[in-house]
Amino acid sequence: CGITGHVSVIILGSTGDLARKYLWQGFFELYTNQVNSGHSFFFYGGGLSPANKSSLVLFEILKAVNCPKDVSKERCAILKEQFLRLSRYKQLKTLEDYQDLSKNIQKQLQQEDMAEAGRLFYLSVPAFAYAEIADRINNTCRPSKGAWLRVVLEKPFGHDFKSAQVLATQLGNSLKDEEMYRIDHYLGKQVVANILQFRMENKKHLHPIWNKHYIERVEIVLKETLDVKGRIAFYDQYGVIRDVLQNHLTEVMTLLTMRLPLNLSNSREVLTNKLNIFTSLLPLSKSQAVIGQYQAYQTEVQHELNKTKDHVSLTPTFAAVLAHVDEAQYEDVPILMISGKQLDERVGYARVLFKDNVFSILVSKNVFKPVVDSEWKEVTEHKDKNITVLGLPISDYYVQTPIVQKEAYTELISRIFAGRQNSFVSTENLLASWDFWSPLLTGITTLFPRVYPGGNENKDMLDIAVKGRDLSYINEVVLIKQDQMGGQNVNNFQVMQGKFRSDEMVSGWTEELIEKLASDIEEVAEKAILESGVFHLAVSGGASPLALFHRLALHHFSFPWKYTHVWIVDERCVPLTEFESNFHSLHDHLLQHVKIPYYNIHPMPVQLNQRLCVEEDRGTWQYEEEIRKFVNASSFHFVLLGVGYDGHIASLFPGVKPEDHGENMVVLTESPVKPHQRMSLTFNAINKARKVAVLIIGKYKHEVVIQLSRVKEETTQWPVTWVKPEKGSLVWYMDYEALLG
């Protein structure tokens, strides 16, 4: 790590969770290992709070550090006392604070009468603060000539390629690439850190079989049983792909597939070989990924982010992605990266499956006996002889484990001190990674993740299948017909049919339910066009249909939009360009994404003569005439409705009866919530339809379902009870959360 001399370590965010759990312990172990090396140290805990508030907090953290097991109690007490004496809290908030820090370091150097070896800044702070801190370090805290500067950065390093590029440019204005150490703690885990060493030491055995002729596929998996409670503010912006796949699993993938360097200690060669893999990765498409979200996530988002019950997050908590390397060595070899929260087990592994069905982690006895590194040992006896690994007993494997177990951050801190950059993420590799992942992340933005219950209840819901270069869930929607709801086992997670209020009911988990509803609409459309050459669809507003709109836009490419007319069931009396407009929502989530003739779109005329819903402007009459002109017998082929908490449908609210509107098909109504004025189809228009679907989704609608199940007759308290198609059918579409709570 260069010349021997004085080293200043500055941890920003020094009393935060990461520093408390890992960083101070890691730097204490660095100190214990280097105390006799000729270096002298001083440690600054930096933060925004003044010293009188945080010094005591830091002191308590420092008292809790532990000595390595091979250090005696007496020696440990001396080392801890020295470490405490060499550590101090320093407020680092303003430019003047950084200037003062630099003066303190210069004073230390004069007192020690030693040359300066270097300065290590560890930024355990939010990423938005990186650029400003880097600028202050550059302008006020650079070490003296000949000494090194190392600035450690924690992920996230951007949100996508563009943001990562902006951050890289900002940091590049203040720091050289060799001065930046972007930390991925996963690379500090001893098993991950040993991948290249293992490949190198066993090159004689591995080189002949490490190619497309022998490898069936590669799996890189990190499964977690925990949820993300307490991290929602971060996690909901990033999701599992950005949090785990784009960095941790991608790094492991490069270590498994990159060309071995001639010299493992040559950081430049290692990073260049990694970069070559990134440039050889084939682009990802949506068909190469599946995503999921554990069932309780929506509730956690609403609680922690203070969102309403109507808020829907599409952030995935599970993802499986299929990648391919466009090199002759790995041609058509599938590389699967899989991670998720609330899964059935906590496990991480890299698995190479060979074509003769030999499974290799490290390493099946059917393959070869691996060389044992000097820092590792072979495990020959196992306490639990019943342990199985990927279906084989543990005794079928050569098992190696580190002689000394080291915490990932402790290991990485020692490598930062040693200047070993090959364990960190370079600017080039970071941007190459984001360049690979960003198109997929953009592509899945509007996809609805498959909802899974979590833990052992997931069963085979998240099982995946590789078909050529596509990836899909094994279990598609299955329709089970049953006469009654009684006895249905919802743990099968299938779409089921039963009865609700004497009418047909379809139920299932949200994703499968929406798939079924979209397929049913397309089926009705095709039948109508076959019969009459046209399909008339009327849809209501609110949050419930958004998932359906996404499904139709992104998955039903053969939908006959050219022959489809889209009508609005109800509209708020606001300009159609405003966010609150139902038509605005329909346009943003569906119409702009499909090829439908503009003259087939029929928004409600709520704004006429530069006024909103004025009766004299006869907007209701105009819409009614439009329906009579285009819709045969004024009978829509399909009407989609939702149900409000108070039982209203369309914009027909409690207290209304069918006879209140006579023969009218369109009326102005008053809502109890703003905006109060509405335009709506009447029961007369709705009940003329060939098919009416009532969509009810979400746990927050469970009470509505309970109340409706108890109401036997039509009642003004629950307007939905007046929906009774004269010659058509009524079907209730409910997800399990609404149905079962």
Side-chain angles (χ1 to χ4, degrees), residues 476-496:
E476 300 298 337
V477 178
V478 179
L479 184 64
I480 298 177
K481 292 192 176 182
Q482 295 191 5
D483 293 332
Q484 302 294 332
M485 268 301 292
Q488 289 184 354
N489 180 11
V490 298
N491 286 329
N492 290 331
F493 299 100
Q494 297 164 328
V495 172
M496 302 178 181

Side-chain angles (χ1 to χ4, degrees), residues 142-320:
R142 279 197 167 274
S144 51
K145 191 174 181 180
W148 48 257
L149 171 65
R150 291 173 191 149
V151 180
V152 187
L153 307 162
E154 280 280 344
K155 75 179 183 77
F157 312 121
H159 188 265
D160 52 21
F161 178 78
K162 188 175 180 181
S163 59
Q165 197 173 39
V166 168
L167 180 58
T169 301
Q170 291 173 334
L171 291 170
N173 291 333
S174 303
L175 304 169
K176 300 171 186 174
D177 205 37
E178 61 266 25
E179 293 173 335
M180 289 184 270
Y181 287 71
R182 293 182 184 84
I183 203 164
D184 182 341
H185 75 271
Y186 212 64
L187 293 179
K189 293 183 181 293
Q190 286 167 285
V191 172
V192 176
N194 197 49
I195 289 175
L196 284 183
Q197 185 75 31
F198 179 85
R199 286 182 60 196
M200 183 72 83
E201 290 175 344
N202 294 282
K203 188 176 179 180
K204 183 178 79 171
H205 301 292
L206 289 175
H207 183 70
I209 61 173
W210 213 252
N211 57 64
K212 64 181 180 181
H213 300 296
Y214 293 91
I215 297 176
E216 180 76 27
R217 68 174 180 271
V218 177
E219 296 175 4
I220 304 161
V221 177
L222 180 59
K223 297 169 71 175
E224 298 180 81
T225 55
L226 296 175
D227 55 25
V228 287
K229 281 182 185 173
R231 291 185 66 217
I232 294 288
F234 163 82
Y235 199 90
D236 200 51
Q237 295 181 56
Y238 286 85
V240 68
I241 295 179
R242 290 181 173 92
D243 191 40
V244 178
L245 276 76
Q246 180 271 330
N247 37 67
H248 304 334
L249 302 197
T250 301
E251 285 291 333
V252 174
M253 183 266 294
T254 62
L255 293 172
L256 287 171
T257 57
M258 64 183 271
R259 189 180 300 278
L260 284 174
L262 296 175
N263 181 0
L264 280 178
S265 61
N266 186 329
S267 295
R268 187 68 253 168
E269 188 183 3
V270 171
L271 292 173
T272 298
N273 288 5
K274 275 189 182 182
L275 185 62
N276 289 339
I277 283 294
F278 279 119
T279 58
S280 297
L281 287 168
L282 290 173
L284 288 176
S285 67
K286 285 189 293 186
S287 64
Q288 291 167 262
V290 294
I291 55 174
Q293 185 187 89
Y294 65 80
Q295 190 181 341
Y297 183 77
Q298 293 291 343
T299 306
E300 292 168 8
V301 168
Q302 290 161 7
H303 175 71
E304 291 191 30
L305 301 184
N306 197 27
K307 299 289 186 181
T308 66
K309 290 182 177 181
D310 287 335
H311 177 78
V312 176
S313 171
L314 300 183
T315 301
T317 60
F318 169 84

Side-chain angles (χ1 to χ4, degrees), residues 44-92:
Y44 294 90
L48 298 177
S49 304
N52 60 2
K53 283 190 176 181
S54 295
S55 291
L56 188 58
V57 178
L58 180 60
F59 180 70
E60 293 299 321
I61 295 171
L62 296 177
K63 282 201 304 182
V65 298
N66 297 307
C67 290
K69 291 180 181 178
D70 58 349
V71 176
S72 68
K73 282 188 177 180
E74 294 76 13
R75 178 68 175 155
C76 180
I78 293 169
L79 289 171
K80 287 183 72 170
E81 190 275 329
Q82 289 175 345
F83 188 63
L84 282 168
R85 186 167 46 82
L86 294 171
S87 302
R88 179 191 309 162
Y89 181 84
K90 177 100 179 65
Q91 185 177 25
L92 291 173

